[in-house]
Amino acid sequence: DGTGDVECVGDEQLALRCPITLARPTSVPVRGHLCCHLRCMDLEAYLVSNWRMRAFNTRWRCPICSIELQPADLFVDEYVQHILATTGSEIDNVLISLDGSWRAEASSSATV
């Protein structure tokens, strides 16, 4: 519906590493309003990589789902931002439950 909501049908794995930098976001985790995935990218990395890209036909595409993704289509995912702030840098993935709670995968059994 374009609101940025993603519906989970079971425990969903969420990778916390940016698909551009392959590291946890160091600026702000963002994704597109029309993206149907939870995974976010680092805002600064997305903007810089697109600014430097020479191929105009592949500029401003989501690196995860490939939809057109202009800067105005991005939003800060505060849920993922909270997970990143709450977990240590050694945590690369979390599992999201239907009720919105999450737990670190493998490295920790803490549930939030």
Side-chain angles (χ1 to χ4, degrees), residues 1-5 32-35 75:
D1 64 0
T3 62
D5 293 339
H33 287 286
L34 297 177
C35 292
F75 75 98

Side-chain angles (χ1 to χ4, degrees), residues 44-55:
E44 186 176 320
Y46 183 70
L47 296 175
V48 169
S49 67
N50 278 282
W51 180 74
R52 291 180 178 167
M53 190 174 298
R54 295 181 194 267

